[in-house]
Amino acid sequence: MIITDDLRNLLIRHEGLRLKPYKCPAGKETIGIGHNMDANPLPGMIKHQLDTFGSITEDMAMELLDHDLLDAILNCRRLYRDFEKFTDRRKMALVDFIFNVGMRTARTFERTNRAINRGDWEAAAQGFEKSLWFRQVGFRGPEIVKMIREG
């Protein structure tokens, strides 16, 4: 899977774009398009920009997004053995999910992950719908579930 504008736009719609630091709903120090600075410190130039001006540029936010998306894609490949064979919409949905919750939390969706790995998309969609995550993420949850269910 490659990073596309459709994937970037999905994440921007779900995460928003903020050029100044903020606390995400989980209480993590965040900037850009959902970049968790607690887990992933800023690279030198971006940190210098933030320290000097109190904000980063939109280009810097996009750079962080692409780096974070690469991590999420790699984690999808680790968690879902046939990931590259999935439809583009399902791949995008799973990348968005793992981007949102992180690999550690994604692994806890054991039944849902088993359903994904056996290609049972309806069971996977239902697993997401029954989760606390689904109830917490607003419009993101139904959109991801629809992408998983419909392919």
Side-chain angles (χ1 to χ4, degrees):
M1 172 175 208
I2 60 170
I3 298 172
T4 63
D5 286 341
D6 286 344
L7 180 58
R8 286 185 191 101
N9 290 334
L10 181 68
L11 267 293
I12 292 168
R13 189 169 62 252
H14 289 166
E15 295 285 341
L17 168 63
R18 297 190 193 172
L19 302 179
K20 293 183 179 186
Y22 64 97
K23 294 278 188 191
C24 76
K28 306 292 184 184
E29 194 71 16
T30 307
I31 199 164
I33 303 152
H35 178 80
N36 178 341
M37 294 189 296
D38 291 338
N40 302 294
L42 295 175
M45 282 295 276
I46 297 175
K47 181 173 180 358
H48 176 73
Q49 169 77 19
L50 179 61
D51 291 346
T52 303
F53 300 103
S55 64
I56 63 172
T57 67
E58 196 167 321
D59 285 345
M60 290 174 172
M62 295 306 289
E63 180 182 333
L64 291 171
L65 175 62
D66 282 355
H67 182 271
D68 293 342
L69 283 171
L70 285 174
D71 284 346
I73 291 167
L74 289 173
N75 284 328
C76 281
R77 288 177 180 150
R78 289 182 186 111
L79 195 55
Y80 309 116
R81 67 178 170 268
D82 291 328
F83 178 74
E84 292 300 331
K85 296 177 185 174
F86 299 165
T87 66
D88 288 344
R89 285 178 45 83
R90 286 182 175 135
K91 286 190 273 191
M92 286 174 45
L94 293 169
V95 168
D96 186 298
F97 170 69
I98 288 183
F99 182 101
N100 181 231
V101 302
M103 184 64 156
R104 179 176 292 140
T105 299
R107 285 183 191 276
T108 68
F109 284 66
E110 293 175 11
R111 286 186 183 146
T112 302
N113 291 333
R114 282 195 301 272
I116 291 166
N117 278 322
R118 69 177 180 268
D120 187 345
W121 299 108
E122 182 56 34
Q126 289 176 12
F128 282 125
E129 287 172 328
K130 292 176 184 175
S131 71
L132 176 61
W133 165 83
F134 184 84
R135 294 188 300 277
Q136 291 176 329
V137 295
F139 72 94
R140 180 184 223 151
E143 185 172 0
I144 287 177
V145 165
K146 182 177 183 185
M147 293 169 76
I148 292 292
R149 185 173 272 132
E150 296 178 0

